[in-house]
Amino acid sequence: MPTTGEERSMRVGCPKEIKNHEYRVGLTPGSVREYVAHGHEVIVETKAGAGIGADDDTYRAAGAKIVATAKDVFEKSDMIVKVKEPQPSEWAQLRDGQILYTYLHLAPDPEQTKGLINSGVTAIAYETVTDERGGLPLLAPMSEVAGRLAIQAGATSLQKANGGRGILLGGVPGVLPAKVAIIGGGVVGLHAARMAAGLGADVSILDRSIPRLRQLDDIFGGRVHTRFSTIDALEDEVFSADLVIGAVLIPGAAAPKLVTREMLTGMKKGAVIVDVAIDQGGCFETSHATTHSDPTYEVEGIVHYCVANMPGAVPVTSAHALNNATLYYGLQLADRGLKAIAEDRHLRAGLNIHRGRVTNAPVAEALGYDAYAPEAVLNVA
């Protein structure tokens, strides 16, 4: 792996995703062409792109080498590019000196964190890489997808046959539409509000940033209600809502539990909550991660939709959107190795674990580890 200013070819590996109903792929054929154009060797597990309609021949035409198993990818690659956090069988194959570039969501996941620490890998989390505006550019495209999907999932879950109240989100002439409460006015909340308002629902967004609430009010021109989030306001909105979207994010940290089990008893029976924050542990006390094959469960008469990889349901859209965002930094890592992290503060923000040490403060605090500054552990010549 290149760790100095000297550039050389890197072997970049892309295994097939193995999380339940995860159809996205870490590298699209178009991204493979870019890595190859930079002089790197790309190793792709057979059928890794099947979920987006990209067969092995398409990857070969882009310049990739196709291998039979994930074991081949992990053994032969200097850098692993994925979508979702590595599963136990995957983190067991990672090794010291290897770079892992993917979503991690470590704060609510002590087992994965321990596995990555023990592996000695250098792990960069998409969700904590930053940009010049203080945004999270590699999380944003999936937040856009998840925000929009949250309304589709919520609308479906509201149908009586699916356990919901039996309400059409947009209503019809003479019948009121569903009331939608969105907790959090960030990227997820914005896109959820756009979808819900577009379908004709009565939408409210709660947030604790007054400047952001002003911005949202300007964006929607009064079509969406904005409320400063207090305990009283949260209860008002949750109790009156037919659909509640949890869209809270504290970068790298576990999501705060804003809606308690007790609050569920004040909600309408058959109301639906969609917890988009579930990757970070969820913002409802009663949330636990579900899958696309078994997406919902009921607590206190309230339908919970807590799928931890929502964008995986629309892999063609989401894989291309994700690759558009991750390609630039991926090429930097392939071209320059650890030196790219050392010299780019935005990539350093993405460094969560390096050779057995936790380098992201919120993750360390959430899980009880000592936090090491990335600059102190990289030791780049």
Side-chain angles (χ1 to χ4, degrees):
M1 180 190 305
T3 58
T4 69
E6 180 183 354
E7 296 183 6
R8 67 172 178 82
S9 175
M10 185 180 281
R11 289 164 296 178
V12 179
C14 178
K16 182 177 174 63
E17 297 293 321
I18 59 174
K19 192 164 185 172
N20 181 281
H21 283 271
E22 181 52 70
Y23 303 107
R24 289 172 292 179
V25 63
L27 293 175
T28 62
S31 290
V32 169
R33 289 190 68 183
E34 297 293 330
Y35 280 90
V36 171
H38 276 237
H40 305 296
E41 180 183 352
V42 181
I43 304 165
V44 177
E45 183 182 354
T46 184
K47 298 181 181 178
I52 65 167
D55 60 19
D56 289 350
D57 286 341
T58 304
Y59 276 95
R60 288 190 185 96
K65 177 182 178 181
I66 303 299
V67 295
T69 67
K71 183 174 183 288
D72 293 327
V73 175
F74 283 93
E75 283 185 351
K76 297 175 181 178
S77 301
D78 303 309
M79 180 168 83
I80 301 294
V81 182
K82 280 178 44 59
V83 178
K84 290 304 291 178
E85 70 281 355
Q87 304 302 293
S89 65
E90 294 177 313
W91 75 56
Q93 298 179 74
L94 294 166
R95 65 178 184 273
D96 183 37
Q98 208 168 35
I99 292 175
L100 173 67
Y101 183 49
T102 189
Y103 287 118
L104 293 175
H105 302 291
L106 294 177
D109 195 344
E111 290 304 312
Q112 184 202 170
T113 305
K114 183 178 178 181
L116 295 181
I117 288 172
N118 290 340
S119 74
V121 75
T122 296
I124 294 99
Y126 293 160
E127 71 273 10
T128 63
V129 174
T130 57
D131 63 20
E132 292 290 346
R133 297 171 296 175
L136 302 170
L138 310 192
L139 182 62
M142 295 304 94
S143 295
E144 292 166 353
V145 172
R148 294 176 180 227
L149 274 177
I151 300 304
Q152 292 182 200
T156 300
S157 299
L158 273 172
Q159 295 174 19
K160 195 69 174 179
N162 297 323
R165 297 194 66 221
I167 292 180
L168 182 64
L169 209 61
V172 293
V175 181
L176 289 174
K179 181 166 175 48
V180 178
I182 300 171
I183 307 171
V187 177
V188 170
L190 169 63
H191 285 266
R194 279 180 170 159
M195 288 292 285
L199 289 170
D202 180 3
V203 183
S204 296
I205 303 180
L206 297 102
D207 200 277
R208 303 207 80 165
S209 167
I210 292 175
R212 180 58 172 171
L213 292 173
R214 289 193 181 108
Q215 186 179 34
L216 291 167
D217 192 60
D218 287 341
I219 289 170
F220 289 105
R223 293 184 299 121
V224 168
H225 313 295
T226 58
R227 289 193 73 172
F228 184 79
S229 185
T230 63
I231 296 172
D232 281 345
L234 187 64
E235 287 183 344
D236 284 347
E237 294 296 333
V238 168
F239 292 165
S240 63
D242 301 295
L243 171 60
V244 182
I245 307 296
V248 178
L249 174 70
I250 300 175
K257 307 297 184 185
L258 298 180
V259 176
T260 65
R261 176 182 285 268
E262 182 180 357
M263 289 171 68
L264 299 188
T265 63
M267 294 179 65
K268 301 172 183 176
K269 296 303 178 185
V272 172
I273 62 176
V274 177
D275 197 343
V276 185
I278 193 63
D279 272 330
Q280 295 294 134
C283 59
F284 300 93
E285 184 182 4
T286 47
S287 290
H288 64 75
T290 61
T291 65
H292 287 293
S293 58
D294 188 16
T296 63
Y297 60 94
E298 188 178 305
V299 179
E300 303 287 356
I302 308 302
V303 178
H304 291 55
Y305 180 101
C306 303
V307 174
N309 61 326
M310 288 177 64
V314 286
V316 174
T317 298
S318 55
H320 286 285
L322 178 61
N323 273 249
N324 290 346
T326 59
L327 179 62
Y328 171 77
Y329 285 118
L331 290 173
Q332 294 299 308
L333 289 167
D335 289 347
R336 299 162 61 224
L338 299 184
K339 191 173 179 66
I341 308 172
E343 295 182 351
D344 189 313
R345 62 188 175 92
H346 301 303
L347 261 179
R348 287 201 305 277
L351 185 66
N352 278 214
I353 291 175
H354 178 63
R355 293 185 171 174
R357 294 176 176 177
V358 177
T359 54
N360 179 279
V363 170
E365 181 178 356
L367 298 178
Y369 289 97
D370 292 331
Y372 292 85
E375 298 84 353
V377 300
L378 285 170
N379 297 322
V380 176

